[in-house]
Amino acid sequence: MAKYTLTFSFFFLMFNYSPSISASTIHSNHQPINFQIELLHWKDVNQIIPKNSVFTVIDVETGKSFDVQRRAGSHHADVQPLTRKDTKVMKEIYHGHWSWRRRAILILAENRLLAASMHGMPHGAGALENGFPGHFCIHFAGSTTHRTERSDLSHQLMIMKAAGKIDDYLAGANPFQVADALLVFIKNGDKALIKKVALTEKKYLKKQINKIDKIETLRWNRKDNIEDGANDLTITIPVELQLYIKESGRVNTKISFQLVRTSPLAPWKINIDDLISIINETQKEEKKK
């Protein structure tokens, strides 16, 4: 299958990644490609990319692409880079380090573009001579994990990003969903998405968001009461956090996120100042040691 890295990078820059692009085509091997991005359920995608099929993965952020083969997977696709060159491109997308972080991607299969999400961690078995020690997972709408048979929130949010639906989701999300979304965006290291929901009383939001880079891994637990905040303009949500902060190590803490909106119809925003304070204080304590 031909690579589309340069072509797709050009089109993403030209259209600023708009999923509402009218159907356009380019020609490779005389086959037209539909630029209308499709958000399909896994049961439908399962038929489009059957086991042993080969297709192209396109990273939404960078426009880089590589070919993969689906090897297995019943609730999502277990895939492997097709060649060593494909493995190299995938690792470049993850800045030279394999990672569990989810990334928004598009799948080019049967000349269609499908919204999806991948992680970048080799695991399990692998069968191709590609320099990739195992396989990785690609999720679609309706996909679940093999272990829990539940949808993975991180993957589902990245799928919505790939489909251009993330703004619609955040606009209609309740405050608890917004809190979870922020933590997912932090976990995935996605600054552009963090910026969509974050607030700060500090001078520069971008500067505060950059400090979040110090968080390498993140887990959280919170109680959910959907009725709380239904008609309010502010709400406080307590969350238990397990963080791993660069140069500081593991931190277990509790935080109360403050969420606000300008009207009952406006989207919720979340103040990140307390989280930034935890990062700053942890690093100060580490320097004292």
Side-chain angles (χ1 to χ4, degrees), residues 7-289:
T7 304
F8 274 98
S9 294
F10 172 77
F11 274 97
F12 278 128
L13 290 173
M14 177 183 291
F15 293 110
N16 193 27
Y17 183 61
S18 173
S20 60
I21 300 168
S22 60
S24 306
T25 59
I26 63 174
H27 289 274
S28 175
N29 298 326
H30 307 291
Q31 294 180 337
I33 297 173
N34 182 10
F35 279 91
Q36 184 66 43
I37 297 167
E38 299 179 71
L39 180 60
L40 297 184
H41 194 277
W42 166 244
K43 69 178 187 302
D44 298 315
V45 178
N46 194 27
Q47 304 302 313
I48 297 173
I49 53 168
K51 292 179 182 179
N52 298 319
S53 61
V54 174
F55 52 92
T56 299
V57 172
I58 306 161
D59 180 62
V60 166
E61 290 293 327
T62 64
K64 292 183 177 181
S65 65
F66 60 98
D67 290 341
V68 301
Q69 183 181 50
R70 180 183 172 191
R71 303 293 302 183
S74 56
H75 303 299
H76 58 257
D78 291 338
V79 304
Q80 296 178 246
L82 197 60
T83 67
R84 291 182 181 274
K85 184 177 180 181
D86 294 305
T87 296
K88 181 180 178 182
V89 173
M90 183 181 177
K91 198 165 189 177
E92 288 173 357
I93 290 170
Y94 277 95
H95 310 293
H97 302 283
W98 297 126
S99 170
W100 287 108
R101 287 184 172 183
R102 281 56 163 155
R103 293 185 70 91
I105 59 173
L106 299 174
I107 297 303
L108 177 58
E110 294 187 357
N111 304 312
R112 302 168 73 175
L113 285 174
L114 311 178
S117 170
M118 71 175 182
H119 67 66
M121 182 60 70
H123 65 285
L128 302 179
E129 294 295 329
N130 57 7
F132 189 86
H135 66 269
F136 69 99
C137 301
I138 295 179
H139 284 229
F140 299 84
S143 286
T144 62
T145 65
H146 293 312
R147 184 172 60 86
T148 67
E149 296 191 1
R150 293 196 300 266
S151 291
D152 179 278
L153 179 62
S154 293
H155 276 307
Q156 295 303 313
L157 289 175
M158 291 302 105
I159 292 164
M160 282 188 272
K161 175 182 175 179
K165 302 292 186 183
I166 193 68
D167 288 340
D168 291 341
Y169 173 80
L170 294 173
N174 66 50
F176 301 94
Q177 291 170 326
V178 171
D180 284 339
L182 171 69
L183 294 169
V184 165
F185 300 158
I186 293 172
K187 185 178 179 180
N188 289 334
D190 196 319
K191 294 181 183 178
L193 291 185
I194 294 171
K195 190 175 180 180
K196 287 181 180 292
V197 297
L199 289 176
T200 178
E201 295 180 6
K202 308 296 182 182
K203 191 172 183 180
Y204 299 110
L205 176 60
K206 182 178 179 181
K207 182 178 179 180
Q208 301 307 312
I209 290 175
N210 285 339
K211 293 180 181 180
I212 292 177
D213 275 346
K214 295 293 183 179
I215 298 176
E216 288 191 339
T217 61
L218 169 67
R219 291 184 178 181
W220 66 94
N221 183 44
R222 64 165 183 78
K223 293 183 178 180
D224 199 347
N225 187 349
I226 301 299
E227 293 182 0
D228 286 351
N231 299 306
D232 296 335
L233 299 182
T234 63
I235 187 173
T236 300
I237 299 179
V239 181
E240 297 177 0
L241 294 177
Q242 295 178 338
L243 310 171
Y244 191 91
I245 301 176
K246 293 178 184 178
E247 302 169 359
S248 299
R250 187 180 302 277
V251 176
N252 295 328
T253 188
K254 294 181 179 180
I255 191 171
S256 292
F257 279 124
Q258 306 296 320
L259 288 91
V260 300
R261 58 181 174 178
T262 56
S263 76
L265 297 179
W268 289 96
K269 301 289 184 178
I270 185 166
N271 189 299
I272 61 171
D273 289 342
D274 285 352
L275 179 61
I276 300 301
S277 294
I278 291 171
I279 297 171
N280 291 338
E281 291 171 7
T282 302
Q283 291 188 311
K284 286 180 182 178
E285 290 298 322
E286 185 64 25
K287 290 179 180 179
K288 291 179 182 179
K289 294 180 181 179

